[in-house]
Amino acid sequence: MAGATLIALTSYKFYKISNMKKYFYFGVAFAMLATAFATRVLTNLIIYYNFIEQNSFGIAQAVHQAVGPATNFFSTGLLGYRLLTLTALLGIYLVLSRKAKTSKSVKGLLMYFVLIASIFSTQVTLVFHLTAAAFLFFISMMTLRTYFGNKSKKTKQTLAAFTLLMFSQLIPAIYIPIAYVVAQVVQLAGFITMLFTFRKVKNAKN
């Protein structure tokens, strides 16, 4: 969450310096990711309180009553997290593919696909991870094409960041207990790499 927030702020600073809209849209996308992660944290807290309520008495039940119906919060939070995440990834994809001039109808269809995938993924978690991985794959491919064109070290680092984020979505598909923890570590490495690259660009511009 912190990494996505810092990247969003850095992108906005780029936008203020260069007045290039792509940095503004990047900032919005990463701000959505940060909001999605915040939503997931809140959802996890609700799960925790629900667990206490089911296994304890007295004070724990009072806490649960203050929180509200855990099941409804969980469902809403889960949908919000996944919808925000996939919308943010779609935004990044559209920014990187802007030269292709995607039509409004195609953009609308993609947004509809994101909505359907988000809703369906509340029942089948794998749908969310595979959809996110697919977006990140195409984002990585576009970044790779850019790297072949400019051979920039910064583009290479950006490619590495998106590739790590893609693998962080594929790892949970492996149904072993440690997969989630490994995925979170890989995801964190991806955001750190991205932030490091953005900071280097910012310092170069200054």
Side-chain angles (χ1 to χ4, degrees), residues 127-199:
V127 171
F128 166 73
H129 291 297
L130 292 180
T131 304
F135 275 125
L136 287 163
F137 171 77
F138 288 116
I139 289 169
S140 298
M141 289 299 98
M142 286 187 288
T143 307
L144 179 62
R145 185 172 59 186
T146 301
Y147 172 70
F148 284 150
N150 59 24
K151 299 296 183 180
S152 168
K153 184 178 179 180
K154 296 181 182 64
T155 305
K156 184 177 181 180
Q157 292 170 339
T158 302
L159 172 62
F162 281 130
T163 302
L164 286 169
L165 292 176
M166 179 186 69
F167 280 115
S168 75
Q169 295 298 328
L170 291 174
I171 292 172
I174 305 172
Y175 290 100
I176 57 175
I178 199 174
Y180 178 79
V181 176
V182 173
Q184 295 304 301
V185 172
V186 174
Q187 185 179 72
L188 179 61
F191 279 118
I192 290 175
T193 303
M194 182 75 69
L195 180 61
F196 176 74
T197 304
F198 271 56
R199 290 291 184 181

Side-chain angles (χ1 to χ4, degrees), residues 49-68:
Y49 284 126
N50 186 44
F51 176 79
I52 292 177
E53 190 272 339
Q54 291 176 354
N55 293 277
S56 305
F57 299 92
I59 296 176
Q61 289 195 10
V63 170
H64 173 69
Q65 290 174 1
V67 173

Side-chain angles (χ1 to χ4, degrees), residues 26 34 47 77 91 131 133 161 183 205:
F26 266 122
I47 295 172
T131 304
K205 287 182 178 293

